[in-house]
Amino acid sequence: MKHPTITELSHLFMKQYLTNDMVAADCTAGNGNDTLFLAQLCKRVYSFDIQTQAIENTRQKTQTYDHVTVIQDSHANIKQYIHEPLDFAIFNFGYLPKGDHSITTMAQTSLVAVQDCLELLKESGFVCLCFYVGHLEGKKEMETIIQYLKTQPLLLSSYQTHVPQAPVLYLVSKKGNSL
């Protein structure tokens, strides 16, 4: 039996949890796949990336959805753009697949983005964190962010395969919201 990928697991969770009256953020747009998935499930979607290619890919995939806002800026600036409570946010830390692998999300700005998402998050909301630990910055990001999250009144659930350096998925919710 084939184990599901981190992306498949996150999409399974989103499909079960999200409804068409919810607001979501894709904090690392990449090639636009999560933004498109969210657009099909939610009433409003914000999507962030710093790379022009990622923004173009995301806009192309979501061009028929008028409730998607694609923003070319760092996810660390999320509170400059989102002024309403979030039901859900997703991060895929790392680099743009098939893009320049020297451009990656960074631990310190990613930590700020996660902290800000948690402030925007409704009590019933979730944040999905996908860490790609096969590169040095990915490991550093996971260590930095998880160390912070463990100091907060949150529930954390993690999922990973037994394959060395395989991606790791964390679902984060505020206390009282079961996973």
Side-chain angles (χ1 to χ4, degrees), residues 68-149:
V68 174
T69 302
V70 181
I71 301 158
Q72 187 168 3
D73 199 355
S74 170
H75 53 211
N77 298 322
I78 191 169
K79 288 173 81 177
Q80 292 178 23
Y81 300 95
I82 300 178
H83 306 287
E84 62 183 312
L86 288 174
D87 295 287
F88 182 81
I90 188 166
F91 291 81
N92 279 286
F93 300 105
Y95 47 78
L96 178 65
K98 299 179 184 169
D100 182 349
H101 290 196
S102 70
I103 303 171
T104 69
T105 53
M106 303 297 287
Q108 290 310 309
T109 53
S110 293
L111 176 60
V112 169
V114 169
Q115 290 169 329
D116 287 349
C117 271
L118 289 169
E119 286 182 29
L120 290 166
L121 194 67
K122 291 180 180 177
E123 284 297 319
S124 60
F126 287 91
V127 177
C128 182
L129 307 171
C130 301
F131 295 100
Y132 293 84
V133 296
H135 63 99
L136 186 60
E137 190 60 35
K139 290 177 186 172
K140 184 177 175 185
E141 272 181 309
M142 187 170 83
E143 290 168 2
T144 300
I145 292 168
I146 298 307
Q147 181 180 12
Y148 165 76
L149 292 174

Side-chain angles (χ1 to χ4, degrees), residues 4-104:
T5 66
I6 293 301
T7 301
E8 290 168 343
L9 281 174
S10 66
H11 284 203
L12 281 170
F13 177 78
M14 286 189 269
K15 201 178 226 180
Q16 292 296 312
Y17 170 69
L18 295 170
T19 60
N20 62 7
D21 63 342
M22 292 184 168
V23 177
D26 180 354
C27 298
T28 49
N31 286 312
N33 296 320
D34 286 336
T35 302
L36 176 61
F37 197 81
L38 290 168
Q40 296 166 350
L41 298 171
C42 298
K43 78 171 179 182
R44 183 109 173 91
V45 179
Y46 298 91
S47 184
F48 293 83
D49 211 294
I50 61 168
Q51 294 186 67
T52 302
Q53 186 62 52
I55 294 300
E56 290 172 6
N57 294 344
T58 302
R59 283 192 175 130
Q60 184 176 9
K61 284 187 178 164
T62 61
Q63 64 188 343
T64 60
Y65 295 92
D66 61 359
H67 61 285
V68 174
T69 302
V70 181
I71 301 158
Q72 187 168 3
D73 199 355
S74 170
H75 53 211
N77 298 322
I78 191 169
K79 288 173 81 177
Q80 292 178 23
Y81 300 95
I82 300 178
H83 306 287
E84 62 183 312
L86 288 174
D87 295 287
F88 182 81
I90 188 166
F91 291 81
N92 279 286
F93 300 105
Y95 47 78
L96 178 65
K98 299 179 184 169
D100 182 349
H101 290 196
S102 70
I103 303 171
T104 69

